[in-house]
Amino acid sequence: MRQDALNQSDQVRKSVLEMSKQNETRKFYDTLTPEAFCPMKVRIGGTGDSGKVTCDPKKARIGCTMLSLGLNDQIQFDEEIQSITDNRCNIVGADMAKQNATTQEKYAKMRGQLFVGNIPDTLKMYRLMIDSGSKEVEILKIDIESSEHEALEPFLRKYFVCQILIEIHGHPAKQLEMLRKISRLGFRMFNHEPNPTCGICCEYSFINELCMHRYQVTPLAVIIP
């Protein structure tokens, strides 16, 4: 598998670069191939817009931090990730609007912390870490309606993250720009799926190269040009 990926990597990178210059998002997504193989991919949060693909979340460390950005009172992902990991991680959620009473109650039962603010304008990602007492992130789930282009890279330069589950917004050139930022910080894509409700959105899953051994992930070929 790894050798096949390496043999095809030059052509894949050329195709990705070429398709990024066009506005045909589906063709751009079709050129992308995994940069890492996770033997235990798990979908969490359902099949709709809120669902994300993780790599074997049961391997999450005791006392770790799960960061969930962009809630909109839809916390199926948050509840499932806590259930799968036996509630051994601290979950920190944030949204631009205050969550309703039901969401607040459910978060309290999960020992979760909720924050309100528009990332990165009125709520900085680093403040979430400081105010929650977190040092690093096991799994970062992020869906903040295009603000990822501004907010994510500075955060990744400051804090260690094992997995990133992100919805990236924008046409192919904008998507590639974000993929490059993530790739250059030591992450490999192990899954991607076009968003079923947004034509210029795609769901990506990345793993930090330094976490691959613990999650039993095999590195393939880097295909982000």
Side-chain angles (χ1 to χ4, degrees):
M1 181 186 299
R2 187 167 191 269
Q3 190 59 54
D4 287 345
L6 290 170
N7 291 341
Q8 299 169 16
S9 60
D10 284 345
Q11 183 56 50
V12 173
R13 282 192 292 269
K14 290 178 182 178
S15 297
V16 170
L17 184 59
E18 182 60 33
M19 290 310 303
S20 73
K21 300 174 183 177
Q22 304 179 32
N23 282 329
E24 298 185 65
T25 52
R26 288 286 173 168
K27 290 184 178 181
F28 174 73
Y29 302 146
D30 287 343
T31 64
L32 300 172
T33 59
E35 299 176 302
F37 172 71
C38 171
M40 185 63 68
K41 293 197 292 187
V42 180
R43 175 175 291 281
I44 299 177
T47 58
D49 183 48
S50 61
K52 308 293 180 187
V53 175
T54 67
C55 184
D56 200 357
K58 290 185 178 181
K59 287 187 168 62
R61 291 173 172 169
I62 295 174
C64 73
T65 293
M66 304 285 189
L67 199 55
S68 182
L69 308 183
L71 301 176
N72 194 30
D73 286 309
Q74 299 176 26
I75 61 167
Q76 184 179 349
F77 173 91
D78 311 60
E79 293 179 296
E80 286 187 20
I81 195 78
Q82 288 296 77
S83 176
I84 289 172
T85 57
D86 298 320
N87 207 41
R88 66 176 178 268
C89 297
N90 304 308
I91 187 159
V92 179
D95 195 83
M96 66 176 65
K98 184 178 180 179
Q99 302 302 282
N100 64 34
T102 300
T103 298
Q104 293 182 45
E105 181 180 349
K106 288 179 177 179
Y107 243 76
K109 289 181 178 178
M110 294 187 289
R111 297 183 298 109
Q113 299 179 66
L114 283 172
F115 294 85
V116 180
N118 186 10
I119 298 172
D121 297 329
T122 61
L123 180 62
K124 305 298 184 184
M125 289 178 66
Y126 74 85
R127 289 301 324 174
L128 295 173
M129 301 297 285
I130 294 172
D131 293 345
S132 66
S134 303
K135 301 299 183 184
E136 56 184 49
V137 179
E138 190 74 18
I139 296 177
L140 166 60
K141 187 218 77 175
I142 177 169
D143 182 359
I144 53 176
E145 306 305 322
S146 295
S147 292
E148 68 274 7
H149 294 285
E150 181 181 353
L152 183 59
E153 183 184 22
F155 180 79
L156 295 179
R157 290 189 180 278
K158 188 174 181 64
Y159 290 96
F160 184 81
V161 177
C162 264
Q163 292 189 48
I164 303 171
L165 318 177
I166 182 172
E167 181 179 285
I168 298 179
H169 303 71
H171 290 288
K174 194 69 173 176
Q175 297 257 343
L176 180 57
E177 179 184 353
M178 188 76 251
L179 294 176
R180 281 172 165 166
K181 290 178 181 179
I182 297 173
S183 176
R184 288 167 181 168
L185 291 172
F187 291 87
R188 300 268 191 123
M189 178 177 61
F190 64 87
N191 195 78
H192 79 286
E193 300 174 352
N195 185 288
T197 62
C198 173
I200 57 169
C201 305
C202 191
E203 308 287 345
Y204 297 93
S205 301
F206 296 89
I207 188 164
N208 193 312
E209 292 172 347
L210 298 178
C211 295
M212 285 185 176
H213 179 73
R214 177 156 59 88
Y215 281 93
Q216 297 181 321
V217 169
T218 301
L220 301 176
V222 175
I223 58 92
I224 305 301

